[in-house]
Amino acid sequence: RGFPVRVPDAPSDVYDVACGEYFTLASTADGGLFGWGDGNSGQLGTGGDGKKDNAAVEINLGARLGEKVRVVNPVAGYQHAMAIAVPGES
């Protein structure tokens, strides 16, 4: 597409955005993290199943460890992503 489009299910309170090759991450004002696009290499935290998700997917960084974290800075590159997070509720 050569023009902007609305991302389905994207949060309305986006605070910061990071763009990778074919995916995007967005953090929200309350510390949440969302991603959409190509997650073929696991960039979206959805298991790297090769599916493209054109709707925003919430990414819970602390879920595996049973922790609650707030994302303060998403970072994206070619086929990788990371985020700086601090303890707290998202």
Side-chain angles (χ1 to χ4, degrees):
R1 293 184 181 141
F3 54 90
V5 296
R6 181 175 295 277
V7 176
D9 300 323
S12 61
D13 60 341
V14 171
Y15 179 78
D16 198 1
V17 174
C19 299
E21 183 181 23
Y22 296 113
F23 70 99
T24 303
L25 299 174
S27 62
T28 59
D30 66 354
L33 182 64
F34 292 79
W36 58 91
D38 184 351
N40 196 33
S41 297
Q43 310 91 300
L44 300 178
T46 58
D49 54 12
K51 295 181 181 175
K52 292 183 180 178
D53 201 333
N54 293 322
V57 176
E58 187 166 12
I59 302 167
N60 186 344
L61 294 181
R64 285 190 176 163
L65 301 175
E67 298 175 357
K68 296 185 181 195
V69 298
R70 293 183 66 246
V71 173
V72 294
N73 187 20
V75 180
Y78 175 62
Q79 291 182 344
H80 65 276
M82 61 183 178
I84 297 173
V86 296
E89 294 277 336
S90 63

